[in-house]
Amino acid sequence: MLGIENLPKLAGPFLKTERKGPAAMIQQFEQDHGGGMAKDLAKNRRVVMPSWTEHEEIKELQKSYSRNKVRTTKYTFLSFIPKNLFEQLHRFANLYFIFLAALNFVPIVNAFQPEISIIPIVFVMSITAVKDLWEDQRRRKSDQKVNNRLCDVYDRKQKRYVERRWAEVCVGDLVRLCCNEIIPADMVLLHSSDPNGVCHIETANLDGETNLKQRQVVRDLPQGSEFVPENYSSHIECENPNNDLRRFRGFMEHPGKVRVGLHSENLLLRSCTVRNTETVIGIVVYAGHETKAMQNNSGPRYKRSKLERRLNMDVLWCVILLLLMCLIAAVGHGFWLSGLQNPIYMIPDDTHPALAAFYMFWTMIIVLQVLIPISLYVSIEIVKLGQIYFIQNDLDLYNPVLDTGVQCRALNITEDLGQIQFLFSDKTGTLTENRMLFRRCTVAGTEYPHHENGPFTSKHTPLILWECAVVPDPQLQAKLNTLSSAMRSPPRQQAAEISHILDFFLALTVCNTVVVSSPTQPRHVSPTTPSGTPSYTPSTPVTPALSSGAWSEDVDDIQKAKVNSADESESDDEDEAEELLYEAESPDEAALVQAAKAYGCTLLGRSPEQVLVVVPGTGPLSIPLLHVLPFHSARKRMSVVVRHPLTGEVVVYTKGADNVIMELAEADGNLGRRIVMERTQRNLDQYAREGLRTLCVAKKVLEEQEYEAWLKRHEYAETSIENREELLLESAERLETNLTLLGATGIVDRLQEEVPETIEALQEAGIKVWVLTGDKQETAINIAFACKLLRPTDHILMANCDSKETCEARLHELQHEIRQVTKEGVSEDDSSDCVLVIDGRTLDYTLQKELQGSFLELTCCCRSVICCRSTPLQKSQVVRLVRDKLKVMTLAIGDGANDVSMIQMADVGIGISGQEGMQAVMSSDFAISRFKFLRKLILVHGHWCYTRLANMILYFFYKNVMYVNLLFWYQFFCGFSGSTMTNSWVLIFFNLLFTSVPPIIYGVLDKDVSGETLLDLPDLYKSGQNSQAYLPSTFWMNILDAFYQSLVCFFIPYFAYTGSDIGVFSFGSPINGSALLIILLHQLIESRTVTWIHTAILLFSALFYYAFVLLFSLTCVTCNSPTNPLGIETKMMSDPLYYLVCGLTTVLALLPRYYTLEQCHRRLSAQDYSTSLRQWKENKAAQRLSSRHVPQNLSVNADMPHLTDCIAEAGAVLS
Amino acid sequence: MMASSYNAKDEDGHHPGSVGSGGPGAVKSKKPDNTAFKQQRLPAWQPILTAGTVLPAFFMIGLIFIPIGIGLLVTSNNIKEFEIDYTGVDMFSPCFNCSQSYSWNSTSACTCSVPFTLDQPFESNVFMYYGLSNFYQNHRRYVKSRDDSQLNGDKSSLLNPSKECEPYRTSDKKSIAPCGAIANSLFNDTLELFYIHPNGSRIAIHLVKTGIAWWTDKHVKFRNPGENNNNLSIVFQDTSKPVNWRKPVYELDPSDPDNNGFINEDFIVWMRTAALPTFRKLYRIIQKKKDNMTPTLPPGNYSLEVIYNYPVRSFDGRKRMILSTISWMGGKNPFLGIAYITVGSVCFFLGVVLLIIHHKYGNRNNNADIPN
């Protein structure tokens, strides 16, 4: 009530100009979007009227708008098969296999029966289709759930609100929502139960931010207790649906042709929740897929991992190998044919040998197609799902406080976690808690150290309440107390200071966007109107003649005036104050408000027009809030314009980054002020050194005319549509000049638990950790020390330059410096002791093309780089520079919106779900809740995922090459005719069924090193960084091994059966049998862990094969014309020779691998290896501690030479 | 899968931070289950190859393989085998003339007699093979050129054979039975064996022509059409003989109805295509004497009478006659024995080398299990 009553008085001119503003705005809108409403309605914008409108044209139009039913499924019942097929055909691999299948239908080149050759592609595509269908089904279910939600829609016929499903809501419907209900569609707010015409929404479902956002009823609409839908007949014109959450433009035209501008403040967004407001009524403007929430809803992220790129290379190699083999066969066939004259076993054919060779080439491609692992891509997808399943289920990565585990948002880059070389971290909220504690402050140049707040020791108390009590500094408290205990008038000097202090706290209390609520009250009960309490503005009795400087003199009067009411309300206030809950967009603000509260300046409530505060010595005061100039990253400050409750003056309170405020604050030749500023600056430097976040608070008293002048231009800015942002910025900057510095605050942001350990481990793992922060240099360095990114012995290289030339010179200078440092201290290990600290401005220069090279060169010599005062854009630029120029794997981790671009730029983006909303999480690949989880996620899961997948892929290549070569060798004995000694069914199923499950299990479950060891020895991570599990050499080693094994597997049966009466398919039987054994046992040798699952799967695979071939050879009399396998397997397997051949083949084929593995394991025998490494680690730590002047020649390799060698070797051989 | 799409959570309203959403039980903890499987703590055996596990393995392989190899070698050496090439490439060989005058359709049979001597007696059953070299029975199109349903006695296939048989599918507008290139190229030399008694008399050796095919082939896979019709000539009346054949399929063995038509064993054996271009096929069995006193084939002079029909010179082929006794491991083949002995020895040797290495450099740890 208060606000409304006061409004006309205070903001009379404001309202008047308001009407002018929208007109301009509407005009602009019309210019933008062409023509009036009557002309082309459908173009460029939409027109919305209540759904019962009689306007036919609009009615038609409104029907054309999307309804509120959402369908996120890709397929319908009918479209599934064609659409899914179409999508799958976009994959190159699938096309290749379809080409092969088609090739088989060409009679002259066909190798198998055509039906058989389409089995693999059908199999693979149907598995993918089933997977797609399953995903789609999940989407369908969630859609149904959403569509079937109910909401109240006004029904004109029944003249009341009726319940309707969300799906049935359409544009133009009037919807009534109660508190805590979810908004079903984008609506323009027409009515709110709140007397001020505001409503709060929580956008957690949209962006995860739990703080409340305020929405405003459209201006000029009747605000009463009742909203009569019947009476509403205005129409709305607004822009067409788009995905910009923060923008909404349009106007509302009342029947009287009066137009009111609409902006995002009036829009309730779908899927947000109504809070703090009993009921709201809105008209739907965008529904269903046209809502901003749905337009912002992009699918899962698709990134291609490094391993996958490498894999594609090797698939290409396989293609080359395949072509080569086919070429050999084709040429061989040509020569073989040309030497023959119509032999009896040849089917008469006039084809020229060269042409026959050409045909043979294609036939061979069909025969040897298995060389290209068709099921590999599907298997990789399955394996990654399995890996993600285990990552998400890891208890160690579960945070019981937030009840969240890891969230894997990107499905296909798990293995990239195992290859990270550079880590870019945000500081606030990532390394630190982002839970701010007020520690110290400076008011009017005097420092109040707040010793009682104590050093931030309690490192391991996970459950800290939002309100961290601030123990007031006794000195400051005492000074403030003089205010309330009005026994004596303080001396003038002190009075000025006290007024300063009061102003300081008032600024802290008022200049913010904190929303107040109390935990005992449900959120929806509006806390802003303590209208019953004796909180009447005491502004009237205050004589406006008082100058702000003399404000303290007046204190007595006020005190006297208020003494009664204060006594009354004292006890109430106490209770209430305890329960107040502050919700702020940034934790700093909450901390400051808390701090002010500790000194008696309590924020009681906030509405758009006023702030309710308690100032020491007075009761609750209502301070009229004239303007809020919100925080902007370019300005780095925020301001509020208030009418001072006591003096009635228009006062601007500004709070912002110290360097900005210090620049804006003016000494004006006033000696006292200059001294204050100098002192404050000194204190600020001191704070920064202690790692505190600093903020400065300033104020400015505006003359009435001055304010009027500013107001005019500000209103213009506020109401303009084009360049609104820029104009507002400019307007704010115009106001924030000539400030008077009040003081500065130091806020501590404690490190998260286990951050130093994590960073140390990551660095030991060979990951270069860079910190990119917007904080001050000193703060950043301090935090870096705290989290052990910087060691006391480190050499810090500073780069702060003002111009490009100096920057260039500085970079060269630093390089020189590094060379000297490294010369002095003998290079202890690969990481140097230099850390580069660079500020935002210098970073800008170095990011320019000419200096990039030398910058990167410099950073390569540094162990770490700390970029301070960097903007979000710079962060992403740095990541891109390093990623592209150094060709390394990068990981970016952050928690706030300012880290989003960096997270998206990096190969792997990790979001921390923390205090600053969910934007970072939404754009990340993985989301964790604490920084410390990074250690296990990267060192253990990353390593596992990488080695598992790398080994599985290599195994797949090996398996296919090994098996296909058996067929290839046979060509030498069948005139290169493309004949196979295996039944085509077995041939196709061998890779597809009999041997496909074990590698998947292997890829999901294998553990080359136990998790504990990996955590203990971060060095092991280096193998992944260097891609040691999957080097080109490893690949070729595998191919070679496959060649060797296939040679053994083919030629031992060959020599054993040569010259005998063995038949074609009988010959294939022992070869297949031993190939199966070799491939499965190879897997067993490769596995570093064998659980019952592995055993079961291996046994199952072997049994499956034998069951299949036996059954086939028992039953198939004429089923597989013309090569029926009847009796072959049974006959062969009843022959002891079969087992002798299989046994010999298997042993001989696996012998080399077994032996080389043994050679490696002998040196790496598990326990041995870990204990010795641990020992080595201790040595290394001791070394580090010992004086660095002692020449240390022991490098990693020198210390335990065989170890690292063997890890590499093992990687190369094992996989 | 979490992020696979717009998930339900997006509009759920059950945000952890939101107060007052959902009743009791609606908020389900996302805490992962602490099970061995989910936490990847399944008890696992680590096949870490240490001296403790590898050395015994090597020695074991050595110890198992060498005796097997010796056994195989001895068995193979005990097998008696005699092989004679009767192709007639050589000017002076008895079959030279026959080999020169070749035609599938010649009516007059060309015969030649190849004398040979067995130095050692052949005990127990002796298997008589014919062998062909450089004959690619495994050629892709050759292997497929047959119709199994026709051979299985299917009436419709008999009259309408599979396309795979082309171009040996029909002749004179009649379907060929049996169709296809394999059947068409049926080996049609006739081999007879005579023992030349020291007194000069030629004693014909009884050659058994049944029991040479696989049981499954003879009884399941190959069947004459018209199961109960004993007169095969009627059954096959609408078909024509393969172009290279002298006589139709129902005259392959007129003397024995159980060995005639598709179930003729020589035919069945031929139809099982050989894996390698040099192969042998079982032709006859010489059963051991009943008295068990005299060997099946005593040492001495023999004569192989060949009715030479089958041309192989065009593709540099060779024809052989092989006599062989048989053991549990099949025919004579020393390779497997030697290979077993070699591999066994190599393993043994490696085992010794490893043992030396381990003794020299100290055997540090035999425990293969990493505590999980």
Side-chain angles (χ1 to χ4, degrees), chain A residues 72 110-111 134-135 138-139 142 145-146 149 166 182 202 204-205 210 270-271 275 294 297 300 336 341 343-349 360 363 385 389-390 392-395 398 403 408-409 411 941 944 948 970 973-975 977-979 1007 1052 1054-1056 1058-1064 1066-1067 1084 1087-1093 1117-1118 1122 1124 1126-1128 1131 1135-1137 1140 1144 1147-1148 1151 1154-1155 1157-1159 1161-1163 1165-1168, chain B residues 1-6 8-13 15-19 28-32 34 37-40 42-51 53-54 57-58 61 65 68 72 104 129 134-136 138-146 148-149 152 164 167-168 181 185 214 216 220-221 244 272-281 310 314-315 328-329 333 335-336 339-340 343 346-347 350 354 357-358 364-365 367 369-372:
Chain A
T72 54
N110 75 342
W134 179 69
E135 279 179 13
R138 284 165 49 111
R139 263 172 266 160
S142 102
K145 201 169 134 201
V146 169
R149 286 218 184 108
W166 274 28
I182 301 170
E202 186 186 272
N205 288 329
T210 48
R270 181 191 167 109
S271 79
R275 300 278 188 214
M294 295 299 286
N297 194 353
W336 179 79
Q341 289 127 30
I344 184 170
Y345 52 81
M346 281 299 289
I347 286 151
D349 200 344
M360 186 49 58
T363 306
L385 287 185
Y389 174 81
F390 280 118
Q392 288 187 335
N393 273 306
D394 193 333
L395 259 181
Y398 171 75
D403 187 32
C408 299
R409 299 176 46 83
L411 301 179
H941 286 292
W944 277 347
R948 282 167 178 177
Y970 189 58
F973 304 97
C974 69
S977 62
S979 194
K1007 289 194 275 189
I1052 286 197
Y1054 171 79
F1055 284 118
T1058 186
S1060 74
D1061 59 344
I1062 189 137
V1064 175
S1066 310
F1067 180 59
L1084 193 66
S1087 311
R1088 252 63 58 83
T1089 44
V1090 180
T1091 64
W1092 64 267
I1093 301 176
V1117 182
T1118 53
N1124 294 304
L1126 181 77
I1128 289 173
K1131 174 109 181 149
D1135 184 358
L1137 204 59
L1140 288 173
L1144 180 67
V1147 168
L1148 189 59
L1151 202 59
Y1154 192 66
Y1155 183 73
L1157 269 185
E1158 196 283 330
Q1159 285 296 300
H1161 279 284
R1162 189 174 58 76
R1163 289 185 275 177
S1165 82
Q1167 277 203 336
D1168 223 14
Chain B
M1 287 284 102
M2 279 291 287
S4 64
S5 72
Y6 172 70
K9 198 197 149 220
D10 285 358
E11 295 209 348
D12 234 11
H15 192 272
S18 62
V19 181
K28 201 177 138 206
S29 170
K30 288 184 201 134
K31 185 173 179 176
N34 192 1
F37 174 69
K38 283 193 175 177
Q39 300 307 319
Q40 307 193 52
L42 282 177
W45 168 68
Q46 281 195 306
I48 289 277
L49 311 170
T50 56
T53 55
V54 168
F58 276 123
I61 292 173
F65 272 34
I68 292 179
L72 281 170
W104 282 99
Y129 299 89
N134 211 13
F135 190 104
Y136 285 82
N138 56 10
H139 189 279
R140 177 169 56 93
R141 297 174 68 187
Y142 182 84
V143 169
K144 289 202 287 185
S145 186
R146 63 193 286 163
D148 276 352
S149 8
N152 195 232
E164 302 277 356
Y168 302 108
S185 60
W214 290 11
T216 45
V220 183
K221 200 171 175 183
N244 284 356
R272 194 157 277 290
T273 50
L276 300 166
T278 298
F279 60 89
R280 61 174 71 163
K281 281 189 182 292
Y310 206 68
S314 66
F315 54 92
W328 56 270
M329 60 165 281
N333 189 345
F335 168 77
L336 214 51
Y340 260 95
V343 173
V346 166
C347 283
L350 284 179
L354 287 181
I357 290 174
H358 279 285
R364 287 186 294 205
N365 201 330
N367 190 355
D369 298 313
I370 284 188
N372 253 309

Side-chain angles (χ1 to χ4, degrees), chain A residues 251-503:
Chain A
F251 60 83
M252 180 182 280
E253 191 176 280
H254 297 307
K257 294 283 170 200
V258 181
R259 289 181 173 185
V260 183
L262 301 176
H263 45 89
S264 58
E265 294 272 282
N266 306 119
L267 195 66
L268 300 178
L269 296 171
R270 181 191 167 109
S271 79
C272 296
T273 316
V274 179
R275 300 278 188 214
N276 279 6
T277 318
E278 258 164 84
T279 51
V280 293
I281 295 165
I283 181 164
V284 175
V285 285
Y286 304 126
H289 289 278
E290 291 176 344
T291 58
K292 302 208 178 251
M294 295 299 286
Q295 299 237 331
N296 266 295
N297 194 353
S298 54
R301 295 163 33 88
Y302 187 82
K303 279 184 179 176
R304 185 165 287 168
S305 72
K306 188 179 174 187
L307 191 63
E308 223 164 300
R309 293 194 291 261
R310 171 83 234 147
L311 158 82
N312 285 339
M313 265 303 293
D314 286 336
V315 169
L316 264 182
W317 276 116
C318 277
V319 171
I320 291 172
L321 198 65
L322 172 74
L323 293 180
L324 198 72
M325 283 160 73
C326 292
L327 205 67
I328 290 173
V331 171
H333 188 65
F335 278 109
W336 179 79
L337 268 185
S338 59
L340 290 176
Q341 289 127 30
N342 218 15
I344 184 170
Y345 52 81
M346 281 299 289
I347 286 151
D349 200 344
D350 296 333
T351 324
H352 187 271
L355 190 61
F358 175 73
Y359 291 148
M360 186 49 58
F361 180 80
W362 296 106
T363 306
M364 287 309 292
I365 284 195
I366 298 172
V367 173
L368 304 182
Q369 61 172 302
V370 191
L371 189 66
I372 315 298
I374 180 170
S375 46
L376 179 59
Y377 289 94
V378 183
S379 306
I380 288 177
E381 275 181 34
I382 297 174
V383 164
K384 283 183 180 171
L385 287 185
Q387 291 179 342
I388 283 173
Y389 174 81
F390 280 118
I391 292 179
Q392 288 187 335
N393 273 306
D394 193 333
L395 259 181
D396 293 344
L397 303 182
Y398 171 75
N399 184 349
V401 181
L402 295 174
D403 187 32
T404 49
V406 194
Q407 213 185 327
C408 299
R409 299 176 46 83
L411 301 179
N412 43 8
I413 54 165
T414 47
E415 72 276 16
D416 271 353
L417 283 176
Q419 298 193 275
I420 302 301
Q421 286 157 300
F422 274 76
L423 187 142
F424 299 92
S425 173
D426 175 41
K427 189 181 74 65
T428 313
T430 307
L431 299 179
T432 60
E433 295 265 11
N434 201 12
R435 207 171 267 150
M436 305 299 168
L437 272 178
F438 181 83
R439 284 293 312 281
R440 325 174 75 163
C441 65
T442 303
V443 187
T446 316
E447 215 264 313
Y448 302 98
H450 292 76
H451 291 298
E452 281 78 5
N453 273 359
F456 49 110
T457 43
S458 54
K459 224 164 67 179
H460 295 289
T461 40
L463 257 170
I464 298 169
L465 292 172
W466 182 256
E467 302 94 341
C468 301
V470 177
V471 183
D473 189 80
Q475 198 188 347
L476 191 56
Q477 186 71 40
K479 283 185 186 171
L480 260 179
N481 280 345
T482 56
L483 201 64
S484 40
S485 60
M487 294 303 130
R488 58 194 165 86
S489 205
R492 195 142 190 103
Q493 166 69 26
Q494 214 179 340
E497 199 191 343
I498 286 171
S499 101
H500 227 94
I501 291 169
L502 198 61
D503 252 343

Side-chain angles (χ1 to χ4, degrees), chain A residues 1024-1139:
Chain A
Q1025 283 172 336
N1026 309 331
S1027 306
Q1028 266 167 5
Y1030 190 176
L1031 294 167
S1033 62
T1034 337
F1035 171 73
W1036 290 111
M1037 280 288 288
N1038 261 281
I1039 299 293
L1040 266 183
D1041 192 28
F1043 264 82
Y1044 163 78
Q1045 293 192 5
S1046 67
L1047 276 173
V1048 169
C1049 190
F1050 181 80
F1051 280 99
I1052 286 197
Y1054 171 79
F1055 284 118
Y1057 288 107
T1058 186
S1060 74
D1061 59 344
I1062 189 137
V1064 175
F1065 300 108
S1066 310
F1067 180 59
S1069 163
I1071 291 183
N1072 269 326
S1074 42
L1076 183 89
L1077 280 180
I1078 291 171
I1079 285 175
L1080 293 183
L1081 287 177
H1082 183 113
Q1083 171 92 85
L1084 193 66
I1085 291 179
E1086 284 289 275
S1087 311
R1088 252 63 58 83
T1089 44
V1090 180
T1091 64
W1092 64 267
I1093 301 176
H1094 292 85
T1095 324
I1097 291 292
L1098 285 177
L1099 280 179
F1100 171 77
S1101 288
L1103 289 180
F1104 186 28
Y1105 168 77
Y1106 279 109
F1108 180 83
V1109 291
L1110 280 178
L1111 211 67
F1112 203 36
S1113 80
L1114 274 175
T1115 56
C1116 184
V1117 182
T1118 53
C1119 62
N1120 186 28
S1121 190
T1123 50
N1124 294 304
L1126 181 77
I1128 289 173
E1129 293 294 334
T1130 41
K1131 174 109 181 149
M1132 289 309 290
M1133 284 170 70
S1134 57
D1135 184 358
L1137 204 59
Y1138 177 89
Y1139 302 99

Side-chain angles (χ1 to χ4, degrees), chain B residues 188-264:
Chain B
N188 57 0
D189 281 358
T190 310
L191 308 177
E192 279 171 337
L193 215 53
F194 293 93
Y195 176 60
I196 298 170
H197 206 265
N199 63 15
S201 60
R202 282 156 56 97
I203 303 163
I205 295 169
H206 179 64
L207 304 174
V208 179
K209 55 185 173 184
T210 52
I212 55 174
W214 290 11
W215 188 91
T216 45
D217 282 3
K218 170 104 178 169
H219 294 96
V220 183
K221 200 171 175 183
F222 288 80
R223 275 196 213 138
N224 277 323
E227 202 69 63
N228 303 317
N229 198 335
N230 284 330
N231 194 343
L232 287 177
S233 60
I234 294 171
V235 174
F236 286 105
Q237 64 181 348
D238 289 331
T239 62
S240 107
K241 68 175 176 63
V243 283
N244 284 356
W245 288 21
R246 304 254 164 83
K247 47 196 179 185
V249 66
Y250 49 87
E251 283 172 25
L252 281 176
D253 189 0
S255 60
D256 183 359
D258 278 343
N259 193 27
N260 202 5
F262 288 157
I263 54 171
N264 177 274

Side-chain angles (χ1 to χ4, degrees), chain A residues 30 54 205 499 569 695 854 903 1014 1127:
Chain A
E30 299 226 317
E54 269 121 47
N205 288 329
S499 101
S569 60
L695 281 173
S854 47
I903 286 173
L1014 282 171

Side-chain angles (χ1 to χ4, degrees), chain B residues 106-150:
Chain B
S106 63
T107 40
S108 60
C110 176
T111 56
C112 53
S113 159
V114 186
F116 64 93
T117 312
L118 292 181
D119 299 329
Q120 284 180 318
F122 278 54
E123 311 279 350
S124 85
N125 285 352
V126 177
F127 289 75
M128 183 181 178
Y129 299 89
Y130 61 87
L132 292 173
S133 299
N134 211 13
F135 190 104
Y136 285 82
Q137 239 198 341
N138 56 10
H139 189 279
R140 177 169 56 93
R141 297 174 68 187
Y142 182 84
V143 169
K144 289 202 287 185
S145 186
R146 63 193 286 163
D147 184 348
D148 276 352
S149 8
Q150 190 190 47

